[in-house]
Amino acid sequence: MTHPFENLDPAQPVQVLPRHLAGPGAVDPRTTWDFPYDEGWPFAQTEFAAAAFSPCLRLQTTYDPQPEKPGKGTWMITAHRAPFTPADWCITFDAATPVELVHDVHTELLDLYLEDLHSDQDRLFQDETTAQEAYVPLLTRGWSHDVKTDGTQTFLSPEGLGGVRHRYASGSSGPAWRAWGGHPDEPHWKADFSFRTPTTLVAAFTASLISTEPLHRTVQDVPVQTRRALYIATTTTKPAHGNTPVAPPPPVPAPGRTR
């Protein structure tokens, strides 16, 4: 069975969808977080890890790539009601999560922080956003919905290679929300949102997850295992000696659901 990447050069730039199967992309913690570092947000990076903090030290975000274990690194956000106290909630992303999804959650995190800073609200710890705002957009994009008696509901992408699980019952163990890309039994990446994580951040994640804005990759960056379930939104020929890029071929239709 052929796929749209088969006859392309490994270095060929492409724009691909769906986002959850595109691979991690180019990782740069400083721009992924995109905090106002010149306004008191400490940032530190070594060849092994990176970290940033809010000026009040209640928010901390880290990147631990674990280069000795390819694909096993972690992005993590922790929120503390007071500096140096145990975290009230936590978000983790595998290093293989598409970096655009990680960026969009951090962008919303900064918005919440600034909103709290300039108001009498505390949405970082008392967010009243309903769970429906995080999962209804999935349904409008054709994701399936399955409810279990154990207090969980699961949403699967149309091709079956991405999912979001919500633990809606109080007292449930595990993260309140989990998302993944790839086969559920062996996903390429997963993201966990603990209980008490502001639902606004989960909604920002799911909105980015199903966005129809394609992700920029090179062919060699796209996971081999998911190429048949991806389609090229456009291709971009690298200019040579000032030449105008060649017009892109028409999009390849997305395949149907696979089991």
Side-chain angles (χ1 to χ4, degrees):
M1 181 178 177
T2 61
H3 55 75
F5 305 91
E6 194 164 39
N7 297 316
L8 296 180
D9 185 273
Q12 170 73 48
V14 292
Q15 297 183 46
V16 297
L17 287 169
R19 287 179 156 214
H20 55 276
L21 301 177
V27 172
D28 179 352
R30 190 177 183 91
T31 57
T32 299
W33 295 333
D34 201 21
F35 294 135
Y37 303 109
D38 57 350
E39 298 178 14
W41 286 70
F43 174 84
Q45 184 170 12
T46 69
E47 61 180 311
F48 302 109
F53 305 84
S54 63
C56 65
L57 301 181
R58 294 200 303 164
L59 293 179
Q60 175 180 332
T61 185
T62 59
Y63 174 57
D64 178 10
Q66 298 185 25
E68 74 283 359
K69 300 177 181 178
K72 299 299 183 182
T74 305
W75 300 91
M76 179 179 291
I77 302 169
T78 55
H80 310 256
R81 288 185 179 271
F84 312 115
T85 61
D88 194 70
W89 54 262
C90 175
I91 303 172
T92 60
F93 306 94
D94 288 347
T97 305
V99 71
E100 293 85 354
L101 309 185
V102 180
H103 172 272
D104 289 348
V105 172
H106 282 86
T107 297
E108 188 66 30
L109 177 69
L110 177 60
D111 286 348
L112 277 183
Y113 175 86
L114 295 176
E115 183 179 328
D116 286 353
L117 190 65
H118 297 104
S119 71
D120 59 358
Q121 300 184 84
D122 194 15
R123 294 185 61 199
L124 284 171
F125 301 99
Q126 297 176 355
D127 184 34
E128 296 181 357
T129 302
T130 65
Q132 288 89 335
E133 291 194 34
Y135 65 70
V136 167
L138 301 173
L139 300 176
T140 64
R141 287 290 166 81
W143 288 47
S144 66
H145 180 212
D146 181 54
V147 181
K148 298 290 188 183
T149 57
D150 62 357
T152 64
Q153 54 183 340
T154 302
F155 306 85
L156 292 178
S157 60
E159 81 296 317
L161 296 176
V164 174
R165 180 170 295 125
H166 174 218
R167 295 184 182 273
Y168 60 85
S170 60
S172 297
S173 60
W177 299 84
R178 168 167 287 179
W180 64 87
H183 193 278
D185 294 334
E186 194 173 350
H188 300 301
W189 62 265
K190 65 180 184 298
D192 287 345
F193 300 75
S194 74
F195 281 95
R196 294 192 295 276
T197 298
T199 306
T200 298
L201 299 181
V202 184
F205 177 83
T206 56
S208 182
L209 183 69
I210 62 174
S211 171
T212 56
E213 180 180 350
L215 300 186
H216 295 256
R217 298 289 187 267
T218 61
V219 171
Q220 61 197 356
D221 293 333
V222 177
V224 173
Q225 302 93 325
T226 61
R227 290 184 180 182
R228 289 187 175 88
L230 279 159
Y231 69 92
I232 299 175
T234 63
T235 59
T236 307
T237 301
K238 292 182 293 185
H241 307 296
N243 292 337
T244 302
V246 176
V252 177
R257 177 186 293 272
T258 55
R259 291 289 185 183

